[in-house]
């Protein structure tokens, strides 16, 4: 219920029409009329009911590149409350930014002030020394990995948050998807133009750019808050956090009880499970590298959600098998049990030497001797050792032969379908996503993210991640020392917020990979069909057997029905999870290794590329000729927009010859990408004493 005080707040701001204004010309006392609330019913910590987004623009110094003295030349910060944009302030230098924050802090009545940055890691690099100088070192900071803070909190209540982690897409795309009033003013800021913090006047076009960057941001956050029915203090940090909250509510306390009963007893056992986990399967057929083929792509609709809804996975705590175990014991004799175990194998080799998609990963092997690899997948090896489960192992025995094999450290758990509350939750996300497409862009974007994150992302999150800390004196990020991970793990298991077993994520990816190979079996090999390329939930081939595809899809539909889930009917069309759908018809397809291919659409004639780290517009380098896509080709950074990021740490803030305040920075420099083939380098032979875990594809 709105209070009388809240109504007065609205009226106070209604007298001030929205505008973009230089920060020194603004009356900060207006912020005293912002409503403030307590985070919890018990009170204690208050927050300002205000949506804020900030951004910086930077410039290279006059001595660049001899001196990488990049610095902030513009900043903007937008404020939104009461369903309207209040004001956007702007300035030039980092010290002006902290001066503005001091005035903001003095006039906002609540304790916590939340300020979003879209890609906080970039802005924080430029602002960190100035913030610490003005407000002291942060009292709390969570980093997803080195150089990537999720949030940063100062003692005075100012909190920086990363909206990129929340939206999982660029601000330009987020604003378009949400169809908010203000869109990013793309092209209005000339990035290579040299500017100074003093004596430079922004053009109207530049002002529009820095204004729209932050105004579109607060509008997107407000739109998401309205759909999620959250306030600025309760909105999750990440997209996965959104679905975790809703799923946790759906599961209730029983979900946590089940988790506590089935979680590994000790952290060491959890680490074994993590050794089994793998992501999606991406690979190129080594026998067709550099060849141009016609191709069709079949994509498995919502592969991970389908796996979660139809698979059987561990549903009890794992227990150790004390007796000797053979292959049949795992793959034939105990179909209602899940297994985690270690495999040691000698004289490993492919059964079919022309196998296009070898499954055994070098990077997931804990030991190898003289391993010969194809783009990260083992073709043969004198010795290999790896942790696995029964699903991945079934692929292994299908593809490889060996002289000796030893199975040890076996643990087992009863296997069954996942709880109905969870599969119902995933199914509802699929229904919502299907029915909201083209109807409600905001809810559709959220539901689409929740479907994928809910089915996989939540389960695949490690219970404990390495704690990365920032050294505020040196700017270095390093693992926290002295952490008792066993103790922290026990706290996690007991926490009522823990409710989804990590092993469900393992069995989800394993199930999805098996179904990818089943889709590969639908290629019409009898009439010359080739398996060209795989990418997690899609298969590129020269020819599919449509009768087999039909049977594959019928099997998927029936599996869903057996679980009690019918196809979704919407606007006269039937939608099914797990079916293989047409996802492209190409008159030309060419690949050199995983995440490195070009294709030309049959219908439009448009040539496209997928090259790891190279933006899509880099296709211009091919000059519309797929024959130019070959080893030695350089996707130049100027054309593709590929940038190298270099973090620059300076001993202390200094002023350059032009009077610019310079602190730490990130140097973004266009960089080239060299196309290579795995044939450019001999299949590598790794020595037992030197290599434990090695990734073949260095450029990725």
């Amino acid at each position: 219920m709105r209070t009388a005080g809240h109504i007065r707040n609205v009226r106070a701001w209604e007298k001030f029409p929205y505008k973009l204004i230089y920060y020194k010309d603004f009356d900060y006392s207006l912020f005293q009329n912002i409503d403030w609330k307590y985070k919890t019913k018990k009170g204690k910590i208050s927050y300002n009911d205000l949506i804020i987004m900030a951004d910086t623009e930077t410039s290279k110094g006059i001595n660049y590149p001899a001196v990488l003295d990049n610095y902030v030349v513009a900043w903007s910060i937008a404020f939104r409350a009461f369903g309207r944009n209040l004001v956007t302030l702007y300035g030039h230098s980092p010290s002006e930014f902290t001066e503005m924050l001091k005035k903001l802090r003095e006039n906002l009545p609540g304790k916590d002030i939340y300020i979003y940055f879209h890609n906080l890691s970039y802005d924080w690099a430029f602002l960190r020394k100035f913030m610490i100088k003005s407000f002291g070192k942060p009292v709390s900071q969570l980093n997803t990995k080195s150089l990537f803070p999720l949030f940063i909190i100062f003692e005075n209540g100012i909190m920086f948050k990363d909206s990129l982690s929340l939206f999982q897409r660029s601000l330009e795309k987020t604003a378009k998807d949400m169809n908010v009033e203000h869109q990013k003013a793309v092209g209005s800021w000339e990035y290579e133009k040299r500017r100074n913090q003093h004596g430079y006047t922004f053009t109207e076009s530049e002002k529009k750019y820095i204004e729209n960057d932050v105004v579109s941001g607060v509008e997107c956050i407000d739109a998401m808050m309205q759909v999620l029915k959250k306030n600025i203090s309760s909105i999750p940090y990440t997209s996965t956090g959104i679905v975790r909250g809703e799923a946790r509510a759906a599961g209730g306390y029983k979900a946590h009880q089940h988790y506590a009963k089935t979680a590994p007893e000790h952290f060491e056992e959890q680490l074994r499970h993590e050794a089994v986990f793998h992501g999606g399967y991406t690979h190129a057929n080594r026998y067709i590298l550099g060849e141009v083929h016609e191709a069709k792509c079949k994509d498995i609709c919502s592969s991970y959600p389908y796996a979660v809804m139809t698979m059987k996975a561990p549903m009890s705590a794992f227990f150790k098998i004390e007796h000797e175990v053979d292959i049949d014991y795992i793959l034939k004799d105990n179909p209602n049990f899940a297994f985690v175990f270690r495999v040691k194998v000698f004289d490993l080799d492919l059964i079919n030497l022309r196998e296009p998609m070898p499954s055994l990963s070098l990077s997931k092997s804990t030991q190898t001797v003289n391993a010969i690899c194809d783009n990260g997948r083992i073709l043969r090896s004198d010795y290999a050792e790896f942790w696995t489960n029964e699903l991945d192992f079934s692929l292994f025995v299908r593809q490889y032969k060996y002289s000796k094999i030893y199975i040890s450290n076996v643990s087992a758990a009863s296997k069954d379908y996942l709880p109905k509350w969870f599969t119902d939750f995933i199914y509802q996300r699929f229904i919502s996503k299907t029915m909201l497409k083209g109807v409600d862009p905001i809810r559709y974007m959220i539901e689409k993210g929740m479907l994928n994150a809910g089915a996989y992302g939540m389960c695949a999150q490690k219970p404990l991640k390495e704690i990365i800390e920032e050294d505020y004196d040196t700017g270095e990020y390093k693992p926290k020392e002295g952490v008792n991970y066993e103790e922290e793990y026990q706290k996690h298991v007991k926490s009522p917020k823990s409710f989804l077993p990590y092993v469900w994520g393992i069995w989800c990816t394993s199930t999805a990979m098996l179904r990818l190979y089943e889709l590969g079996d639908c290629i019409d090999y009898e009439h010359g069909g080739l398996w060209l390329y795989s990418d997690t939930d899609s298969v590129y081939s020269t020819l599919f057997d449509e009768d087999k595809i039909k049977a594959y899809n019928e099997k998927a539909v029936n599996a869903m029905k057996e679980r009690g889930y019918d196809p979704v009917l919407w606007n006269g069309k039937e939608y099914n999870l797990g079916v293989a759908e047409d996802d492209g018809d190409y008159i030309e397809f060419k690949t050199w290794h995983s995440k490195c291919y070009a294709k030309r659409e049959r219908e439009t004639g448009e040539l496209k590329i997928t090259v790891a780290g190279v933006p899509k517009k880099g296709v211009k380098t091919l000059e519309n000729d797929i024959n130019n896509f070959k080893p030695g080709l350089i996707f130049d950074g100027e054309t593709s927009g590929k940038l190298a990021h270099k973090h620059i740490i300076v001993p202390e803030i200094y002023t350059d010859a032009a009077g610019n305040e310079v602190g730490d920075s990130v140097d973004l420099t266009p960089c080239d990408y060299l196309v290579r083939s795995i044939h450019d380098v001999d299949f590598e032979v790794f020595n037992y004493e030197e290599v434990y875990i090695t990734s073949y594809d260095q450029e990725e």
Side-chain angles (χ1 to χ4, degrees):
M1 182 176 179
R2 300 294 190 186
T3 64
H6 190 93
I7 294 174
R8 287 196 299 272
N9 292 338
V10 175
R11 290 174 178 171
W13 276 99
E14 284 177 346
K15 296 177 182 178
F16 182 88
Y18 169 82
K19 64 180 70 173
L20 172 71
I21 185 171
Y22 183 53
Y23 84 103
K24 286 187 176 180
D25 299 332
F26 179 66
D27 179 8
Y28 288 83
S29 66
L30 272 169
F31 282 121
Q32 296 175 13
N33 297 299
I34 290 295
D35 196 23
W36 59 274
K37 301 176 180 179
Y38 284 114
K39 284 186 176 181
T40 63
K41 293 180 180 179
K42 295 181 180 179
K44 294 185 180 180
I45 301 177
S46 61
Y47 68 92
N48 297 283
D49 196 13
L50 184 63
I51 305 170
I52 309 173
M53 173 77 82
D55 187 36
T56 62
E57 300 299 337
T58 62
S59 179
K60 301 179 186 299
I62 57 175
N63 295 317
Y64 185 91
V67 179
L68 302 180
D69 51 354
N70 300 336
Y71 46 81
V72 172
V73 292
W75 57 263
S76 54
I77 185 167
F79 302 86
R80 182 177 175 88
F82 324 123
R84 62 177 286 243
N85 298 322
L86 305 180
V87 66
T88 297
L89 307 177
Y90 73 91
H92 297 270
S93 67
S95 61
E96 289 180 339
F97 182 76
T98 57
E99 181 184 345
M100 175 275 301
L101 289 181
K102 288 178 181 178
K103 293 180 179 180
L104 185 67
R105 175 67 282 174
E106 291 169 0
N107 287 277
L108 279 174
K111 174 67 166 64
D112 287 351
I113 304 172
Y114 306 108
I115 303 175
Y116 279 94
F117 289 84
H118 203 74
N119 193 6
L120 175 59
S121 63
Y122 182 81
D123 300 276
W124 174 241
F126 285 89
L127 295 174
R128 59 185 301 281
K129 272 189 166 58
F130 299 91
M131 290 295 296
I132 292 171
K133 179 180 178 181
S134 298
F135 305 115
K137 295 178 180 179
V139 294
S140 181
Q141 178 172 336
L142 178 62
N143 305 298
T144 55
K145 54 183 177 180
S146 293
L147 304 172
F148 284 87
L150 186 61
F151 64 75
I152 303 168
I153 305 175
F154 293 87
E155 189 173 9
N156 62 2
I158 291 176
M159 180 179 186
F160 289 171
K161 299 177 71 175
D162 180 36
S163 57
L164 180 59
S165 298
L166 177 63
F167 294 124
Q168 289 293 310
R169 65 195 70 198
S170 69
L171 186 58
E172 177 186 359
K173 181 167 175 51
T174 303
K176 285 182 179 179
D177 289 347
M178 291 191 165
N179 196 28
V180 294
E181 179 183 353
H182 291 82
Q183 298 291 312
K184 189 175 173 69
V186 178
S188 299
W189 185 272
E190 187 180 343
Y191 284 99
E192 295 306 312
K193 183 177 180 179
R194 302 294 171 90
R195 300 174 177 87
N196 292 314
Q197 295 167 353
H198 308 287
Y200 181 82
T201 302
F202 297 130
T203 66
E204 290 304 311
S205 178
E206 289 171 336
K207 285 183 179 179
K208 190 69 175 175
Y209 182 86
I210 64 174
E211 177 184 18
N212 278 29
D213 255 13
V214 290
V215 175
S216 62
V218 294
E219 289 174 352
C220 288
I221 293 170
D222 196 7
M224 180 167 279
M225 284 169 48
Q226 298 304 316
V227 170
L228 296 177
K229 295 180 173 56
K230 299 287 186 180
N231 59 51
I232 195 63
S233 76
S234 63
I235 192 167
Y237 293 117
T238 66
S239 58
T240 305
I242 297 172
V243 67
R244 283 188 72 85
E246 296 203 14
R248 187 183 293 114
Y253 184 64
K254 287 184 178 179
H256 167 67
Q257 284 183 313
H258 177 263
Y259 180 89
K261 290 178 181 178
T262 60
E265 185 176 356
H266 297 290
F267 186 57
E268 181 181 0
E269 184 182 352
Q270 168 62 28
L271 291 177
R272 291 182 182 178
H273 290 175
E274 292 176 15
V276 175
F277 175 83
H278 59 76
Y281 182 88
T282 303
H283 199 73
N285 182 346
R286 63 192 178 281
Y287 289 105
I288 56 89
L289 300 183
E291 298 176 1
V292 178
H293 292 271
E294 292 190 17
K296 289 188 176 181
C297 179
K298 297 286 187 181
D299 180 83
I300 303 172
C301 176
S302 300
S303 175
Y304 284 166
Y306 172 84
V308 165
M309 295 185 66
T310 59
M311 72 181 183
K312 289 188 175 182
M315 288 296 291
S316 70
F318 277 84
F319 57 91
K320 189 174 182 180
I321 303 293
E322 300 292 349
H323 58 79
E324 189 174 316
V325 168
D326 60 12
I327 294 175
D328 284 348
Y329 183 88
I330 290 174
L331 297 184
K332 293 182 180 179
D333 300 342
N334 293 281
N336 294 322
F337 284 85
F339 294 91
V340 167
F341 52 98
R342 183 167 62 185
V343 174
K344 298 179 180 180
V345 61
F346 292 83
D347 302 317
L348 175 71
D349 205 349
L350 286 170
I351 295 173
N352 173 15
L353 295 181
R354 295 192 65 83
E355 167 62 51
M357 301 291 155
S359 62
L360 187 59
S361 170
L362 178 66
S363 66
K364 295 299 294 184
S365 301
T366 53
Q367 293 280 12
T368 60
V369 177
N370 297 330
I372 299 176
C373 297
D374 163 24
N375 203 201
R377 301 287 167 173
I378 297 177
L379 301 177
R380 60 169 58 100
S381 184
D382 290 346
Y383 174 80
E385 183 178 312
F386 54 92
W387 287 89
T388 189
N389 62 13
E390 77 282 359
L391 300 184
D392 293 336
F393 190 57
S394 68
L395 268 179
F396 171 82
V397 297
R398 164 183 162 176
Q399 291 188 328
Y400 293 92
K401 58 185 177 180
Y402 38 80
S403 63
K404 296 178 183 178
I405 188 168
Y406 297 95
I407 296 172
S408 62
N409 298 85
V410 182
S411 58
S414 61
K415 188 163 65 171
D416 207 340
Y417 294 115
L418 300 194
K420 202 73 166 59
W421 72 262
F422 188 51
T423 54
D424 284 349
F425 178 81
I426 300 302
Y427 184 59
Q428 186 57 51
R429 304 282 74 76
F430 179 67
I431 293 174
S432 298
K433 187 204 79 165
T434 302
M435 294 183 173
L436 288 169
K437 188 173 184 179
V439 177
D440 185 336
I442 298 173
R443 189 74 213 188
Y444 172 76
M445 186 192 78
I446 294 172
E447 288 289 348
K448 183 179 179 181
M450 288 175 64
L451 175 64
N452 295 322
Y456 170 67
M458 289 191 300
C459 301
Q461 286 187 338
K462 295 179 181 180
L464 292 184
K465 294 182 179 179
E466 188 176 44
I467 301 173
I468 304 295
E469 292 186 317
E470 178 180 356
D471 187 319
Y472 299 118
D473 295 320
T474 66
E476 295 179 304
Y477 286 74
K478 50 190 177 183
K480 184 177 181 180
E481 297 178 355
V483 178
N484 186 327
Y485 283 99
E486 175 64 29
E487 184 178 308
E488 294 300 317
Y489 175 73
Q490 296 303 330
K491 290 179 182 178
H492 166 82
V493 172
K494 295 175 183 177
S495 170
K497 292 185 177 181
S498 302
F499 72 111
L500 290 176
Y502 177 78
V503 290
W504 291 359
I506 300 174
W507 263 254
C508 172
T509 54
S510 295
T511 300
M513 192 163 85
L514 277 177
R515 296 205 71 243
L516 181 76
Y517 277 87
E518 289 176 14
L519 181 55
D521 290 339
C522 295
I523 293 171
D524 191 351
Y525 293 107
E526 290 185 8
H527 295 89
L530 296 172
W531 191 343
L532 304 174
Y533 189 86
S534 305
D535 194 352
T536 304
D537 56 3
S538 59
V539 168
Y540 288 81
S541 173
T542 56
L543 185 64
F544 285 97
D545 184 325
E546 292 300 330
D547 288 335
K548 290 183 178 179
I549 292 291
K550 182 179 179 181
Y552 180 94
N553 289 342
E554 288 177 352
K555 181 180 177 182
V557 172
N558 290 334
M560 288 289 291
K561 288 181 177 179
E562 288 173 6
R563 295 286 292 124
Y565 301 108
D566 292 325
V568 176
L569 298 176
W570 180 244
N571 289 336
K573 186 177 178 181
E574 185 177 284
Y575 296 87
N576 291 283
L577 286 158
V579 297
E581 301 175 324
D582 292 331
D583 194 42
D585 188 1
Y586 306 99
I587 56 176
E588 295 178 319
F589 180 89
K590 187 178 184 179
T591 182
W592 289 106
H593 53 76
S594 62
K595 296 298 183 183
C596 184
Y597 60 86
K599 57 189 180 183
R600 188 184 300 277
E601 293 182 344
R602 185 179 300 278
E603 184 176 349
T604 65
E606 184 180 1
L607 185 63
K608 298 181 178 180
I609 61 168
T610 296
V611 180
V614 177
K616 298 295 185 183
K617 64 181 182 179
V619 71
K620 295 177 183 178
T621 305
L622 299 182
E623 298 178 335
N624 202 34
D625 186 351
I626 201 169
N627 292 311
N628 291 329
F629 185 56
K630 56 188 177 183
L633 172 71
I634 295 176
F635 286 101
D636 68 281
E638 295 291 346
T639 300
S640 70
K642 179 177 173 62
L643 299 172
H645 294 59
K646 184 176 182 180
H647 283 252
I648 312 298
I649 305 297
V650 297
E652 58 185 18
I653 296 170
Y654 67 92
T655 303
D656 70 8
N660 297 299
E661 304 170 348
V662 183
D664 302 332
S665 62
V666 179
D667 184 51
L668 301 179
T669 307
C671 67
D672 300 338
Y673 178 95
L674 174 66
V675 176
R676 299 172 65 240
S677 165
I678 59 172
H679 290 325
D680 291 341
V681 182
D682 292 334
F683 288 127
E684 300 193 13
V685 178
F686 298 107
N687 182 276
Y688 178 89
E689 297 297 331
E690 295 177 354
V691 174
Y692 283 82
I693 300 177
T694 307
S695 175
Y696 181 90
D697 225 359
Q698 297 302 317
E699 69 263 34
E700 291 192 27

